[in-house]
C-alpha cells in the first residue's frame, strides 16, 4: 500500500510541475481567467459605495413627495389629475433641470419611445395598431398619452419644459443647490386605454356581460426620475419592458370615483369611515384581528352593484409614506376581503380584491397567500415595514408598493383546473414578493431587470416551497434551466444585459438569476452562509438604490466566500455546465505484487434522465426532511381542495395499487459479481478509484459525486468548484473506499444545470422499463424537451468513455 501511494504522489507531482511551466509559457493553455477577481469589471469603490458592498459614509439619494388629486371619469374613460411635488436635492451636485417620467406616452403615436423592431404583422389588426402605424409614418396623433395642461412653480409662475417621448425635462428657474428643495405643480389628463386590447401596465378591462369596468391605475401620474451617484439621471425611455427606477417619498392622494366603486391602493385609506357604510366599516375593523379572511364587501353586494351603477361620486383618501411609487385599482365589481397578521410587533392588513369571475379561487387563497408571502419574505430578507399588502385580480401580473395585480379566474361554473390554481398561487406570491424586490430594496428595473425579477423569483421559489412541498415550482430548481442552457451560444445573452436588449426575457431576467442564487444556497455556499449574506444585502440596501456590484460584494463580504468565479461565469457569461466523467481507474490494495483488477462483463445500458415534471429537487427534499419546517398547507386546512387531496391520495385515488404497479415495473437492484472468502483475503479490503473529469461546457461548477457500493449503500462527495482553478478543462480526484464501488454518478440530484447527463455515469446501471422510459419522455404534461436516452458503456479497469 505504501508503494502505491508513493507512486501516485510522484506522478501527480511531476504532472503538476510540468503543467505550471506550460502556463507561464503558453497564454492559450488550459488555465484561463475563470477564477481571477472581477477587478475593474466592477465599479471602483468610493465614499458612496464601499468595497464591502455597503453604503458609504457619504451615500445620498434624492427625495420626492407628492400631493395628488385625481378624478376617474368612467363615462368618458378619462383620468384628470393635478399634483404638487416637493423635490429635495440631497446630492452634492447643483441641478439646473429635473426629469420626469410620462409612462402613458407609451400609447401615443407621436411621443412613444419609438424603439422599433423589425417589421412583423401584428397579432391582431386593431384600430390602435393602425393608428400607431399611421402616426409613425404620417405624424397622426391618436390622442393617447399624457397631456400636460399646466406646469408652474409654487408661486404660480409657468415653468418651461420639453417632452422627449416618454420623458419630460423641466427647466428650473434658478439652480437647485445641494440641500435645497423645489416645489412645483402639474395638471394633466389622459384617455384611459383598453389594457386588454393594446396592452400596457395599466388601463381598463371591460366586461360586456355585465357592462362594467375594472380599472388598474398604474404608472399613471408624472413622476420623478432617479438621480443617483452612479449614473446621474436615469432617463432611459419607457418601452413597456424595462419597468422603472423611482425616488422614495411620501404620498397623499385623493381619488374621486363613482360612489359604488371600491378602491384598493398603495398606502392606508384615512377616510374609510366616510366612504364605507357602517356595516362594511365594521367588517373591516373585525378583519384586523381575524385569523381568516373576512369579506368587507361580499359577493352578493358586488353582484348587486354590477346591476345598477351609481351616478354619484365619492372621494377616497390614501396616505403612503416612504414609498417609491403609488398605484390603485377601482371597480364596482370588487369583492373585498381582509385579514390582519402580526409581524415584528406590527399589525399588517393583508387584503384582496376580485370580481365574481375569480371568486372561487381568490376567496380561498389570495389573502392567505398575501400573508404567507409577507411572512416568508420577511424571514429571508427584512421584516415587512409597510402597514398593508394587497392582491387584485385583474387578469395580469404587475407590482407596486403595497399592491399588485394578478390573474386567476375560474370557469363560468366556478370550477378551475390545477394548472390555473397553481398559476394563480405562483403569480400572487411573485407579485406580492415584489414589495421587497424592488419596492423596498430599490434596484433599477430599467437597467437591470434581473435585480428585481431574478432576486424576487428566487425568494418566490423559497416561498412556494414553504407553501406546499408538492407545489410545482418553475423557478429556482437547477434542472428546470437545462433546456435554456442547451441553446446555441449565439442565442444566449449574459444576465448582465440591459432590459431593452434581451431577446429571451423570461429565462434571462427571471429564471437564470433565480437558479443561480439557488445553486449558491444549496450547492456552493450552503443555506446558513447564504441566508446570512442575503439578509445582510437586504438590510444594507433597504430603502436605498443598490447596484449589481453592491449585491456581489455584500454576498462575499458577509459570507467569507470568494464568489467572483461564479458571478463571472453565471452572470457575465453564457457558457453552459457540462461536466463529463471521462474515465475511472480502478485499483485494489496489493500486498503481494500480484493484484489484477477483478473483471466484469460490460453491459450497455440505456440511461434516461428523470423528467422535469417528476423529479424532486434537492430543495424539496431538504425542506421535507427538516423537522422544523411546517408547510403552510399543512398548517391551514382551509387551503385543501381536490387537487391537494389528490396529490396525497385522499380524493378516492388508490395510491397503493399505483405504487405496487410502479414497483412491479422497477428493475431489480444491480447485483455485483460475488467474491469468495479467498478473493477477499487475496485482494484485501481497500479499493482505489481515480476519477477523471473534463469541463466540456466551459462553466466551472462544483462536482458532486455519488458512489453506489456492492452492498447497496451510497455515499456522496461534494467537490468545490475550486478543483478547476489550475486547469479549467480537466481535473482528477483520487478516492480510497473500504467497499467496492459498482457505479458512479455525478450531479445525482441535478443541482448544477448540467446540460448533458449521458456523460455523468460510470458502472453498471439497470435498464429502465418501457413504462419508466415512457413516463420520463412524456412527463406529467406531455413530452419534455431536452430528454435523452444516450448510451453509456460500463467501464472497468482503465476504460474510458
Amino acid at each position: 500500500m505504501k508503494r502505491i501511494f508513493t507512486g501516485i504522489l510522484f506522478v501527480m507531482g511531476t504532472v503538476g510541475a510540468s503543467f505550471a511551466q506550460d502556463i507561464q509559457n503558453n497564454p492559450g493553455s488550459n488555465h484561463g481567467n475563470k477564477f481571477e477577481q472581477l477587478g475593474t469589471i466592477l465599479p471602483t469603490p468610493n465614499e458612496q459605495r464601499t468595497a464591502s458592498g455597503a453604503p458609504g459614509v457619504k451615500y445620498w439619494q434624492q427625495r420626492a413627495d407628492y400631493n395628488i388629486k385625481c378624478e376617474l371619469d368612467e363615462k368618458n374613460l378619462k383620468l384628470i389629475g393635478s399634483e404638487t411635488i416637493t423635490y429635495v436635492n440631497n446630492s452634492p451636485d447643483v441641478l439646473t433641470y429635473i426629469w420626469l417620467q410620462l409612462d402613458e406616452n407609451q400609447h401615443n403615436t407621436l411621443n412613444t419611445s419609438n424603439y422599433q423592431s423589425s417589421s412583423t404583422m401584428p397579432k391582431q389588426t386593431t384600430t390602435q395598431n393602425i393608428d400607431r402605424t399611421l402616426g409613425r409614418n404620417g405624424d397622426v396623433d391618436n390622442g393617447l398619452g399624457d397631456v400636460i395642461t399646466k406646469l408652474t412653480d409654487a408661486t404660480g409662475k409657468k415653468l418651461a419644459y420639453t417632452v422627449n417621448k416618454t420623458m419630460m425635462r423641466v427647466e428650473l428657474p434658478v439652480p437647485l443647490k445641494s440641500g435645497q428643495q423645489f416645489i412645483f405643480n402639474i395638471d394633466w389628463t389622459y384617455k384611459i386605454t383598453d389594457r386588454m386590447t393594446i396592452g400596457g401596465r395599466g388601463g381598463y378591462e371591460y366586461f360586456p356581460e355585465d357592462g362594467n369596468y375594472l380599472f388598474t391605475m398604474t404608472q399613471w401620474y408624472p413622476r420623478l426620475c432617479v438621480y443617483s451617484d452612479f449614473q446621474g439621471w436615469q432617463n432611459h425611455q419607457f418601452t413597456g419592458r424595462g419597468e422603472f427606477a423611482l425616488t422614495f417619498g411620501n404620498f397623499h392622494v385623493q381619488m374621486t370615483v363613482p360612489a359604488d366603486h371600491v378602491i384598493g391602493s398603495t398606502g392606508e385609506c384615512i377616510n374609510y369611515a366616510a366612504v364605507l357604510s357602517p356595516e362594511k366599516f365594521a367588517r373591516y375593523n373585525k378583519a384586523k384581528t381575524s385569523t381568516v379572511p373576512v369579506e368587507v364587501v361580499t359577493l352578493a353586494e358586488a353582484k348587486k352593484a354590477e346591476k345598477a351603477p351609481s351616478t354619484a361620486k365619492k372621494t377616497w383618501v390614501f396616505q403612503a409614506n416612504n414609498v417609491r411609487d403609488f398605484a390603485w385599482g377601482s371597480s364596482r365589481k370588487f369583492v373585498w376581503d381582509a385579514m390582519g397578521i402580526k409581524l415584528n410587533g406590527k399589525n399588517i392588513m393583508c387584503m384582496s380584491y376580485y370580481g365574481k369571475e375569480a371568486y372561487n379561487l381568490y376567496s380561498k387563497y389570495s389573502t392567505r397567500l398575501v400573508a404567507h408571502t409577507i411572512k416568508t419574505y420577511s424571514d429571508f430578507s427584512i421584516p415587512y415595514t409597510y402597514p398593508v399588502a394587497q392582491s387584485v385580480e385583474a387578469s395580469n401580473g404587475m407590482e407596486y408598493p403595497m399592491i399588485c395585480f394578478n390573474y386567476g379566474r375560474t370557469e363560468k361554473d366556478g370550477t378551475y383546473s390545477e394548472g390555473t390554481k397553481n398559476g394563480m398561487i405562483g403569480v400572487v406570491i411573485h407579485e406580492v414578493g415584489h414589495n421587497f424586490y424592488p419596492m423596498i430594496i430599490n434596484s433599477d428595473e430599467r437597467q437591470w431587470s434581473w435585480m428585481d425579477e431574478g432576486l424576487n423569483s428566487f425568494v418566490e421559489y423559497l416561498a412556494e416551497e414553504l407553501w406546499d412541498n408538492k407545489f410545482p415550482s418553475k423557478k429556482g430548481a437547477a434542472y428546470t434551466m437545462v433546456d435554456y442552457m442547451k441553446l446555441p451560444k449565439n442565442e444566449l445573452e449574459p444576465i448582465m444585459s440591459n432590459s431593452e436588449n434581451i431577446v429571451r426575457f423570461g429565462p434571462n431576467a427571471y429564471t437564470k438569476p433565480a437558479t443561480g442564487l439557488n445553486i449558491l444556497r444549496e450547492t456552493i455556499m450552503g443555506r446558513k452562509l447564504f441566508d446570512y449574506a442575503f439578509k445582510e444585502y437586504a438590510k444594507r440596501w433597504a430603502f436605498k438604490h443598490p447596484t449589481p456590484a453592491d449585491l456581489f460584494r455584500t454576498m462575499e463580504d458577509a459570507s467569507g466566500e470568494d464568489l467572483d468565479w461564479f458571478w463571472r461565469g453565471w452572470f457575465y457569461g453564457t457558457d453552459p455546465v457540462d461536466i463529463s466523467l471521462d474515465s475511472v481507474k480502478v485499483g485494489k490494495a496489493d500486498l503481494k505484487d500480484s493484484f489484477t483488477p477483478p473483471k466484469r462483463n460490460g453491459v450497455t445500458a440505456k440511461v434516461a434522465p428523470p423528467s422535469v415534471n417528476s423529479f424532486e429537487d434537492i430543495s424539496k427534499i431538504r425542506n421535507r426532511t427538516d423537522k422544523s419546517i411546517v408547510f403552510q398547507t399543512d398548517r391551514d386546512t382551509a387551503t385543501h381542495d381536490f387537487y391537494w387531496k389528490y396529490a396525497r391520495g385522499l380524493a378516492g385515488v388508490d395510491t397503493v395499487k399505483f405504487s405496487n404497479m410502479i414497483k412491479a415495473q422497477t428493475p431489480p437492484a444491480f447485483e455485483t459479481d460475488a467474491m469468495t472468502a479467498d478473493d477477499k483475503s487475496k485482494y484485501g479490503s481497500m479499493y482505489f478509484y481515480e476519477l477523471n473529469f473534463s469541463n466540456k461546457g466551459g462553466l466551472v461548477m462544483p462536482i458532486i459525486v455519488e458512489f453506489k457500493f456492492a452492498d447497496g449503500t451510497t455515499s456522496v462527495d461534494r467537490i468545490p468548484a475550486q478543483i478547476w482553478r489550475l486547469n479549467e478543462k480537466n481535473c482528477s480526484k483520487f478516492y480510497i473506499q473500504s467497499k467496492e464501488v459498482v457505479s458512479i454518478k455525478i450531479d445525482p440530484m441535478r443541482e448544477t444545470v448540467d446540460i448533458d447527463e449521458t456523460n455523468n455515469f460510470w458502472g453498471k446501471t439497470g435498464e429502465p422499463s418501457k413504462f419508466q422510459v415512457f413516463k420520463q419522455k412524456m412527463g406529467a404534461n406531455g413530452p419534455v424537451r431536452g430528454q435523452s436516452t444516450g448510451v453509456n458503456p460500463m467501464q472497468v479497469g482503465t476504460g474510458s468513455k
Side-chain angles (χ1 to χ4, degrees), residues 160 181 225 243-244 300 317 347 369 405 413 572 624 667 727 754 797:
Q181 67 179 29
C225 296
E243 290 171 7
F244 44 79
V317 184
N347 192 66
L369 285 163
F405 302 92
D413 62 1
Y572 288 89
R624 179 165 44 78
N727 184 334
D754 195 314

Side-chain angles (χ1 to χ4, degrees), residues 70-310:
C70 65
E71 180 172 344
L72 173 61
D73 183 346
E74 184 176 35
K75 181 179 179 181
N76 296 303
L77 297 174
K78 192 174 184 180
L79 191 70
I80 305 163
S82 64
E83 59 189 286
T84 298
I85 303 174
T86 301
Y87 185 70
V88 182
N89 181 16
N90 291 320
S91 80
D93 307 324
V94 176
L95 304 178
T96 57
Y97 51 79
I98 58 177
W99 282 97
L100 282 80
Q101 304 182 37
L102 303 179
D103 290 359
E104 276 297 317
N105 281 358
Q106 175 197 10
H107 305 297
N108 182 265
T109 47
L110 299 184
N111 288 321
T112 181
S113 58
N114 203 25
Y115 284 15
Q116 299 184 38
S117 300
S118 58
S119 296
T120 55
M121 288 298 293
K123 292 181 179 179
Q124 294 179 334
T125 301
T126 64
T127 303
Q128 288 84 356
N129 285 328
I130 295 171
D131 284 347
R132 189 168 297 162
T133 302
L134 288 174
R136 286 179 181 148
N137 297 330
D139 294 331
V140 176
D141 190 340
N142 63 3
L144 300 179
D146 286 301
V147 177
I148 307 300
T149 57
K150 188 177 181 181
L151 178 62
T152 65
D153 64 13
T155 66
K157 183 179 179 180
K158 288 185 178 181
L159 296 173
Y161 67 94
T162 301
V163 173
N164 177 20
K165 305 179 181 72
T166 61
M167 293 289 162
M168 181 172 76
R169 186 184 67 236
V170 177
E171 309 298 333
L172 300 177
V174 295
L176 186 64
K177 297 179 181 179
S178 179
Q180 293 182 335
Q181 67 179 29
F182 176 63
I183 301 174
F184 61 106
N185 307 300
I186 306 177
D187 292 355
W188 46 269
T189 183
Y190 68 83
K191 296 179 181 178
I192 304 173
T193 55
D194 183 346
R195 178 172 52 82
M196 307 304 290
T197 301
I198 68 171
R201 306 287 181 181
Y204 68 81
E205 179 181 0
Y206 178 66
F207 293 79
E209 292 183 357
D210 54 57
N212 290 291
Y213 294 89
L214 190 162
F215 295 92
T216 54
M217 309 314 298
T218 66
Q219 299 173 224
W220 56 285
Y221 61 97
R223 52 201 186 149
L224 262 297
C225 296
V226 169
Y227 183 78
S228 68
D229 62 284
F230 61 88
Q231 71 172 353
W233 285 108
Q234 167 51 292
N235 52 11
H236 295 176
Q237 296 294 332
F238 177 57
T239 69
R241 172 180 279 183
E243 290 171 7
F244 44 79
L246 293 168
T247 303
F248 282 105
N250 295 340
F251 286 74
H252 183 83
V253 183
Q254 302 177 57
M255 304 93 111
T256 300
V257 299
D260 53 359
H261 272 217
V262 172
I263 289 181
S265 173
T266 297
E268 289 183 289
C269 182
I270 59 178
N271 72 332
Y272 274 150
V275 295
L276 298 179
S277 68
E279 185 178 18
K280 291 183 177 68
F281 190 51
R283 294 175 193 159
Y284 174 79
N285 287 324
K286 177 183 177 182
K288 291 180 180 179
T289 56
S290 176
T291 57
V292 296
V294 173
E295 288 189 2
V296 179
V297 176
T298 67
L299 177 62
E301 290 167 339
K303 287 181 176 180
K304 182 179 179 181
E306 286 180 337
K307 296 176 181 178
S310 173

